Amino acid sequence: MAGDVGFEDFFNRYQTELDTIGKRPDLLLFKKAEYDPDLGLDISMKDSDEIGSYVSKAIAAIEVRSSAFLINKYTEETNHVLFENIDKAISLKNKILSEYVDLLEQKRPELIPLLQQLDNVSVRSLNFQTSICPITPTH
């Protein structure tokens, strides 16, 4: 991370390597016979000179278009949407119980205790598929 001890040296080496060989892939696939257990599973911190001939034996290279930054941004956004929707669900529950409880008592009294139990935690475990027959208008 920027500001950490040794970051400037790491960054400069990384930039030189990018200019020389391009970006390293995130995952290399080898035939079993070509795998070198002495190098281990993670060669990301090894110098290019040290692993160049080994890397050339890979049969495939995979670049994962993701990063800790993107994962954190994704998590932040999904949490935002989740909490926003939880707030909407609780608000709707409160509105139903305050403005339409008389209708529920007449048509679907079994739903009242379910709504009363709904809170910020229980709303996350709801199964929105139900076998309860839908309310049908009466004329």
Side-chain angles (χ1 to χ4, degrees):
M1 298 291 292
D4 287 352
V5 174
F7 175 78
E8 185 176 348
D9 184 46
F10 163 79
F11 182 80
N12 290 332
R13 282 195 328 267
Y14 180 72
Q15 286 302 314
T16 301
E17 183 175 85
L18 278 177
D19 294 341
T20 307
I21 65 168
K23 185 168 183 331
R24 288 186 182 193
D26 295 309
L27 183 65
L28 295 172
L29 300 176
F30 293 91
K31 290 182 179 178
K32 190 172 184 176
E34 298 293 339
Y35 172 68
D36 184 348
D38 293 334
L39 288 173
L41 296 175
D42 184 0
I43 61 172
S44 63
M45 298 308 287
K46 304 220 183 268
D47 288 335
S48 296
D49 296 338
E50 180 183 355
I51 59 171
S53 63
Y54 177 61
V55 169
S56 68
K57 296 176 186 176
I59 58 172
I62 299 172
E63 174 65 30
V64 178
R65 189 168 180 209
S66 183
S67 69
F69 172 76
L70 292 176
I71 290 169
N72 290 339
K73 291 295 282 181
Y74 173 80
T75 302
E76 181 183 314
E77 180 60 24
T78 55
N79 282 338
H80 172 74
V81 170
L82 173 69
F83 292 125
E84 192 173 88
N85 287 325
I86 287 173
D87 288 344
K88 286 179 186 176
I90 299 301
S91 177
L92 287 170
K93 172 203 89 159
N94 292 335
K95 182 171 183 154
I96 291 167
L97 288 175
S98 67
E99 298 178 24
Y100 301 100
V101 73
D102 54 337
L103 181 61
L104 280 175
E105 286 171 346
Q106 294 173 18
K107 301 285 185 180
R108 302 295 297 275
E110 72 277 10
L111 294 179
I112 295 172
L114 294 174
L115 287 170
Q116 289 171 332
Q117 294 176 40
L118 191 65
D119 62 20
N120 289 342
V121 175
S122 66
V123 73
R124 295 179 189 210
S125 62
L126 287 179
N127 179 352
F128 290 96
Q129 295 179 351
T130 180
S131 60
I132 300 173
C133 298
I135 298 175
T136 54
T138 56
H139 298 292

